[in-house]
Amino acid sequence: MIFRIAKFMNLYGKLSDAELVDLLKSGDQTAFTEIFNRFQSLLYIFAYKRTGNREEAKDLIHELFLMLWEKRSELHIPSGLPAYLFTVLRNRIFDLYKRKKVSQRYIETFQKYLDHNHNTTDHLIRHNNLSELISREIAALPCKMREVFELSRKTNLTRKEIALTLNLSEQTVKSHMHHALKILKGRLGYMLAFVFIIYP
């Protein structure tokens, strides 16, 4: 019996992230378990590095996966599962900072940064649909290259962490980032600089 269960789980381990998400949406608990096993360690490291507190990091991961299960039928993950999970976790960490008020100066500084960039680029975004244009060009990147780029820009993971998350070598991650920036520069020209404002 145990052997059959292990063999069954091994089959799920060979599924892609997108396939697991489709199964999760249908209520497949084994798919949920595989997603948890696949990402929880890296997510915990990410949370612990940013909170410095093991219990808070564990709580954040627990809340993240609880949300993932409870809202499974409503999930919309256009950028790939890793980018989705790390982005949600990053936002929850930011919410934790706000609740605890231990990083008020950081939050105020971050808000000033957002306000400043909003003031200096808002008219461009309104009149030229810059944000939509950049999003379309990023979405048009080859699949794995786009995943690497979005993990780098949206979650601030290190090259090594991205490599572990996507099961790639660090050199491959570096190559994907290099080519992504080269492609975007060719398509966006001087507007490439705004990628680092819209995706800080």
Side-chain angles (χ1 to χ4, degrees), residues 141 145 149 175-189 192:
L141 292 171
M145 188 184 296
F149 183 83
S175 177
H176 277 316
M177 280 299 299
H178 171 76
H179 286 100
L181 289 171
K182 187 175 181 180
I183 290 171
L184 291 173
K185 184 178 180 180
R187 293 174 179 173
L188 296 171
L192 177 63

Side-chain angles (χ1 to χ4, degrees), residues 141-149 162 166 168-184:
L141 292 171
C143 181
K144 192 59 68 174
M145 188 184 296
R146 186 187 74 244
E147 279 192 273
V148 169
F149 183 83
I162 293 172
L166 299 179
L168 301 171
S169 69
E170 288 187 54
Q171 184 57 42
T172 300
V173 170
K174 180 180 179 181
S175 177
H176 277 316
M177 280 299 299
H178 171 76
H179 286 100
L181 289 171
K182 187 175 181 180
I183 290 171
L184 291 173

Side-chain angles (χ1 to χ4, degrees), residues 44-189:
Y44 171 78
I45 292 170
F46 181 85
Y48 177 63
K49 280 184 176 180
R50 284 150 183 81
T51 63
N53 186 299
R54 295 183 188 280
E55 291 306 313
E56 286 180 348
K58 289 178 183 177
D59 288 344
L60 285 164
I61 302 307
H62 173 76
E63 291 170 5
L64 170 60
F65 280 100
L66 180 63
M67 177 279 298
L68 190 69
W69 177 253
E70 290 180 341
K71 297 187 176 181
R72 59 192 180 278
S73 62
E74 307 167 19
L75 290 176
H76 178 60
I77 307 178
S79 302
L81 183 58
Y84 173 82
L85 292 173
F86 280 101
T87 299
V88 171
L89 179 57
R90 183 190 63 177
N91 291 338
R92 286 179 175 269
I93 292 170
F94 189 72
D95 288 341
L96 176 66
Y97 286 153
K98 288 194 291 186
R99 287 199 305 270
K100 292 178 65 177
K101 296 184 179 180
V102 296
S103 298
Q104 193 60 42
R105 273 188 294 180
Y106 164 75
I107 293 170
E108 289 171 357
T109 301
F110 184 54
Q111 189 60 56
K112 287 178 182 177
Y113 166 80
L114 292 177
D115 291 343
H116 171 72
N117 283 296
H118 174 77
N119 291 335
T120 56
T121 65
D122 183 57
H123 67 287
L124 287 172
I125 294 172
R126 278 203 315 270
H127 293 107
N128 300 315
N129 295 316
L130 182 58
S131 180
E132 290 82 356
L133 172 62
I134 289 173
S135 294
R136 283 200 304 271
E137 293 300 340
I138 291 173
L141 292 171
C143 181
K144 192 59 68 174
M145 188 184 296
R146 186 187 74 244
E147 279 192 273
V148 169
F149 183 83
E150 290 188 325
L151 277 176
S152 173
R153 297 312 312 159
K154 292 182 178 180
T155 68
N156 294 320
L157 289 177
T158 65
R159 189 183 301 163
K160 183 176 182 179
E161 289 169 335
I162 293 172
L164 287 170
T165 300
L166 299 179
N167 195 27
L168 301 171
S169 69
E170 288 187 54
Q171 184 57 42
T172 300
V173 170
K174 180 180 179 181
S175 177
H176 277 316
M177 280 299 299
H178 171 76
H179 286 100
L181 289 171
K182 187 175 181 180
I183 290 171
L184 291 173
K185 184 178 180 180
R187 293 174 179 173
L188 296 171

